[in-house]
Amino acid sequence: MTVNWRNKRVIILGAARQGLALARYLSRHGAQVVLNDRRQADQLQDEMGQMESLGVEWVTGGHPLSLLEPRPDLLCISGGVPLTNPLAQAAVADGIPISNDTQVFMEVAPCKTLGITGSAGKTTTTTLVGRIAQSNRAGKYGRIWVGGNIGDPLINYVDEMGPSDLAILEISSFQLEQMTRSPHIAAILNITPNHLDRHGTMEAYTAAKARILDFQSQGDVSILSRDDPGAWGLAEKVKGRLFSFGFSPLPPGQDGAYIENEKFYLRESGRVTRLPVENHIELRGEHNRLNVLAACAIAHAAGFSPQDMEAGVTGFQGVPHRLEFVRAWRGAHWYNDSIATAPERTIAAIKSFSGPLILLLGGRDKDLPWEELGKLVRQRVDHVVIFGEAAEKIQAAIGQRIPGSKPYSLTRVATCREAVLAASRLAQPGFIVLFSPGGTSYDEFKDFEERGERFKEWVREFSETLR
């Protein structure tokens, strides 16, 4: 559906990556765009410079209700802005339509769309599907576009897309909670406690994730994890074809991907296809083997061959900030897993290693349970360094240290940088130093990527100065 934006008044809340991309698109299509951000104008000089030639109006320093006068045709909310924002609530009460960059993209995209969501593994799986698709040996599609919640918002490129292309999107729960469009191929990797500080309850969080399925049709395809209760619990919502993936055996009569005797397979309508990928996986951890299996199931649903899957998996060493090897220092191997913004992700990271561990935990809590992680720390982690706003809650979850039992030491510091320094004093030959915080970065950093980059900088800095 092509929307005529000429002379439509559109308010965009949030001038980060998504808001700026949408402002560019709408302005070029004739809309009267107002970009609104709670930051002051002197903090937005770069962003304002990007928009200077487009005639965008700016309102900064807050979200005044006066923005709704005169009445806008549309209010678009960036991912970082909650629906509880008073301006958003006032717009809803007044019947003003709500949207976002991904919804607008889905309305105007001329090609097939493939969307991936989940509490963990979205970026790795989306990147893998993109690599598989870009192999495209049979020439099934024209151009392949990968973006959304990772990389560039695809609204930046929609005018360049053609009917034979394929758009692959990572979609977050923040984006989904506003959307009334579903991709032609939709995958839910897992639904576990996350972002409860934003969604409030698991029911609301699950409902947001489920929207990726809610607006599909009978001709569409859904891919769900059969081993994850949160994802598999949505199977009854599937309107079209259903594929599953998981480590558990694929039940008779179901279509999906599975592993048998360490080899990867896919079954559809009784026909079994070998997926020659297991010998090419370079990622650590069972959770990443599951991500590869999911990517294969999704790629199959999009029409890609086992040879494309093999080519996509081969040479893939992961995405930055996801169990990323930084360097060997003081005989220990240092890993950056800054993406771990929930305890469950830290649990998966710990299980990816078998040797002695020094674990850096902290950041800001998202109202998530830490008890299971605390139990695993007492079983598997030799030394813990805690930092940031959530330090007290994390320390309580680990519990009183018992002399002679793991963890053998627990160090508490204020900042992330101090945590890296403390870990350097504990590091010994043969140890793994794992930076997998379990909390968000927002107490000290702009996002998890900035936190991960700073961690790597500090490891390199200290390794040069603390010899």
Side-chain angles (χ1 to χ4, degrees):
M1 180 180 73
T2 301
V3 177
N4 180 6
W5 294 105
R6 187 157 300 280
N7 296 322
K8 303 288 190 196
R9 184 167 186 265
V10 182
I11 312 297
I12 300 176
L13 268 64
R17 183 173 54 95
Q18 295 169 8
L20 295 174
L22 183 56
R24 276 190 290 269
Y25 172 80
L26 293 175
S27 296
R28 288 169 182 160
H29 285 263
Q32 299 172 358
V33 175
V34 179
L35 256 173
N36 172 228
D37 198 282
R38 66 181 178 182
R39 290 172 288 175
Q40 299 293 337
D42 60 357
Q43 299 173 287
L44 292 161
Q45 292 305 302
D46 288 345
E47 292 83 352
M48 288 179 169
Q50 294 178 42
M51 298 290 114
E52 191 172 3
S53 63
L54 297 174
V56 170
E57 179 186 343
W58 285 85
V59 175
T60 61
H63 303 298
L65 296 181
S66 59
L67 276 171
L68 302 183
E69 299 174 4
R71 178 188 171 92
D73 296 286
L74 187 67
L75 177 71
C76 292
I77 305 178
S78 300
V81 180
L83 290 178
T84 54
N85 180 283
L87 186 60
Q89 290 187 321
V92 170
D94 199 29
I96 296 169
I98 305 291
S99 189
N100 61 29
D101 67 295
T102 307
Q103 169 80 10
V104 173
F105 170 80
M106 295 289 289
E107 290 174 347
V108 299
C111 59
K112 178 174 281 190
T113 56
L114 187 162
I116 299 169
T117 195
S119 301
K122 294 188 297 297
T123 298
T124 296
T125 304
T126 303
T127 304
L128 264 173
V129 173
R131 286 172 59 96
I132 293 167
Q134 285 157 354
S135 299
N136 205 18
R137 298 182 181 185
K140 180 177 177 63
Y141 296 98
R143 299 176 70 181
I144 303 297
W145 307 85
V146 183
N149 196 48
I150 58 171
D152 276 349
L154 290 187
I155 194 69
N156 278 328
Y157 307 103
V158 70
D159 290 336
E160 303 173 42
M161 296 181 185
S164 65
D165 294 352
L166 175 66
I168 301 170
L169 301 93
E170 175 186 316
I171 310 178
S172 72
S173 61
F174 297 174
Q175 294 164 317
L176 283 166
E177 67 181 348
Q178 303 164 34
M179 290 176 59
T180 57
R181 291 290 180 108
S182 293
H184 301 103
I185 301 169
I188 302 179
L189 306 179
N190 42 60
I191 303 178
T192 54
N194 206 342
H195 301 301
L196 298 188
D197 55 335
R198 164 74 173 257
H199 294 287
T201 66
M202 272 302 294
E203 290 75 15
Y205 177 54
T206 300
K209 291 292 190 187
R211 292 176 78 85
I212 200 170
L213 307 176
D214 285 346
F215 307 100
Q216 284 194 308
S217 66
Q218 290 185 351
D220 292 332
V221 184
S222 303
I223 301 98
L224 303 177
S225 168
R226 63 177 174 273
D227 294 347
D228 179 80
W232 195 243
L234 300 174
E236 63 182 18
K237 287 182 170 286
V238 173
K239 297 179 175 66
R241 298 172 59 205
L242 171 63
F243 285 91
S244 72
F245 67 92
F247 290 141
S248 63
L250 181 63
Q254 284 190 19
D255 293 336
Y258 61 98
I259 299 175
E260 189 175 280
N261 297 324
E262 301 300 316
K263 299 184 185 302
F264 285 52
Y265 297 92
L266 189 137
R267 188 176 74 216
E268 181 181 10
S269 301
R271 179 183 176 185
V272 174
T273 301
R274 175 87 168 84
L275 309 177
V277 298
E278 67 278 347
N279 293 329
H280 303 287
I281 299 173
E282 300 183 33
L283 306 178
R284 299 189 68 96
E286 284 296 287
H287 65 294
N288 274 320
R289 279 168 56 84
L290 190 61
N291 289 335
V292 172
L293 188 66
C296 289
I298 296 165
H300 173 82
F304 295 103
S305 70
Q307 292 71 36
D308 293 330
M309 298 174 200
E310 182 179 25
V313 172
T314 299
F316 180 57
Q317 296 182 333
V319 182
H321 314 299
R322 294 153 177 85
L323 289 181
E324 176 188 14
F325 177 67
V326 179
R327 67 166 302 166
W329 171 36
R330 292 190 167 175
H333 284 189
W334 293 66
Y335 283 85
N336 165 33
D337 193 43
S338 183
I339 186 61
T341 60
E344 184 186 25
R345 298 192 79 134
T346 303
I347 289 171
I350 292 170
K351 291 180 178 179
S352 300
F353 298 95
S354 57
L357 276 175
I358 300 168
L359 177 64
L360 284 69
L361 280 176
R364 175 175 292 172
D365 179 47
K366 293 191 285 188
D367 295 337
L368 301 179
W370 291 80
E371 287 71 25
E372 186 178 350
L373 174 57
K375 180 179 178 181
L376 185 64
V377 166
R378 293 192 296 273
Q379 295 170 348
R380 295 280 295 271
V381 177
D382 296 76
H383 304 281
V384 182
V385 181
I386 304 174
F387 64 94
E389 286 183 8
E392 186 171 346
K393 185 173 184 179
I394 296 169
Q395 188 168 350
I398 294 172
Q400 189 70 29
R401 198 176 69 79
I402 301 172
S405 299
K406 291 186 177 182
Y408 301 120
S409 73
L410 192 153
T411 305
R412 183 168 165 180
V413 297
T415 67
C416 187
R417 190 177 192 276
E418 291 175 279
V420 178
L421 185 60
S424 73
R425 298 188 181 111
L426 294 165
Q428 300 176 40
F431 270 69
I432 299 296
V433 181
L434 176 60
F435 180 65
S436 188
T440 73
S441 57
Y442 301 129
D443 55 342
E444 286 191 69
F445 307 96
K446 178 179 70 175
D447 51 32
F448 75 87
E449 292 168 319
E450 182 187 19
R451 178 173 67 181
E453 291 300 327
R454 297 301 298 276
F455 170 76
K456 292 188 288 185
E457 288 172 12
W458 290 326
V459 171
R460 296 184 185 110
E461 173 191 337
F462 293 151
S463 64
E464 293 299 320
T465 57
L466 303 175
R467 294 181 182 275

